Amino acid sequence: MIEHTGPEPSRPLRSWIRSSPGTHIWLLIIAITSVIVVIAPDRVEHVLLHRNSSNIHELVQHPIRALLSSAFWIENPASLALYALLFECFHAPVERWLGTLRWLLIVATAHITATLISQKVLLMAIQDHRAPHSMTHVVDIGVSYGLAASVGVLTYRLPHPWRWFYLAGAIAFFGIPLLSDANFTDLGHAISLAVGLLAWPLTRHPVSRET
């Protein structure tokens, strides 16, 4: 388990980054791939997003690559600032609290589980003619499944009674879309949140309670 050093008052930015290295390495990679998407010609951008997608086609042809690479791209580079904020609000606190290895285990489990189940449900819908066959090539990239898992596990970091308000808000945010015109992404978010909540045993011996 990776232990995090205490804060360095003279170097607050360095201390902040070192306290959650996995979060910031991940964010840096996403920033790089976002720049690539911005500067690439439209045709190349289209190929990049589809080749790095975890859609049905790519999962069948290149399952390991699809599951791994899809976690490092976002479809709209303009959302990078928002994702950076969300990483700092959810991933970074969980990584500092539980350590990099446990945080990564939870996030990776959620990303893989949510992707496989949601794409399986989509495949069944295609086979039953409830969804068009073109959905096998839909762009399915991004980091939102991992974020949903961190949102879930962070529930156990909060004290009572705020924990219950936070939990109710998280369930409403990810659950309400399932009651309306849900798609495979909404299902994936709900599954990821559940994975985070089910990770409670991993929170029983936190690495550090430094914030």
Side-chain angles (χ1 to χ4, degrees):
M1 186 63 60
I2 297 178
E3 297 282 349
H4 300 308
T5 59
E8 302 174 59
S10 62
R11 299 177 177 177
L13 180 59
R14 178 181 175 183
S15 176
W16 179 264
I17 293 174
R18 288 185 62 191
S19 68
S20 49
T23 295
H24 292 96
I25 291 172
W26 191 3
L27 194 55
L28 175 61
I29 296 173
I30 293 171
I32 293 171
T33 58
S34 295
V35 170
I36 293 173
V37 169
V38 169
I39 65 178
D42 291 343
R43 188 180 219 175
V44 175
E45 175 189 343
H46 177 81
V47 172
L48 285 172
L49 293 181
H50 280 80
R51 287 288 179 87
N52 291 286
S53 179
S54 55
N55 56 35
I56 294 171
H57 175 78
E58 292 298 327
L59 285 172
V60 171
Q61 298 295 323
H62 312 284
I64 303 300
R65 189 192 73 185
L67 288 170
L68 181 62
S69 63
S70 61
F72 297 103
W73 297 76
I74 55 177
E75 191 168 1
N76 181 10
S79 301
L80 180 60
L82 174 61
Y83 278 113
L85 176 62
L86 294 174
F87 268 51
E88 299 296 350
C89 290
F90 298 105
H91 280 318
V94 173
E95 185 181 1
R96 286 197 300 272
W97 178 38
L98 300 180
T100 300
L101 294 183
R102 274 186 284 183
W103 162 77
L104 184 59
L105 175 62
I106 294 168
V107 169
T109 299
H111 176 73
I112 293 171
T113 302
T115 298
L116 294 179
I117 293 178
S118 62
Q119 290 297 323
K120 177 62 176 179
V121 170
L122 177 59
L123 177 60
M124 293 171 62
I126 293 172
Q127 292 172 337
D128 293 340
H129 305 291
R130 290 181 286 109
H133 188 269
S134 60
M135 291 293 287
T136 58
H137 294 273
V138 69
V139 174
D140 182 24
I141 58 173
V143 297
S144 56
Y145 291 164
L147 276 168
S150 282
V151 168
V153 75
L154 196 60
T155 301
Y156 305 111
R157 183 73 171 93
L158 302 177
H160 299 283
W162 305 112
R163 173 181 300 181
W164 305 115
F165 291 108
Y166 174 88
L167 178 60
I171 292 175
F173 184 83
F174 292 109
I176 289 177
L178 290 177
L179 304 177
S180 54
D181 189 20
N183 55 38
F184 71 91
T185 303
D186 296 325
L187 175 61
H189 289 151
I191 292 170
S192 296
L193 179 66
V195 169
L197 293 172
L198 290 173
W200 172 77
L202 295 178
T203 70
R204 297 181 64 184
H205 303 288
V207 169
S208 172
R209 291 191 178 273
E210 300 263 355
T211 56

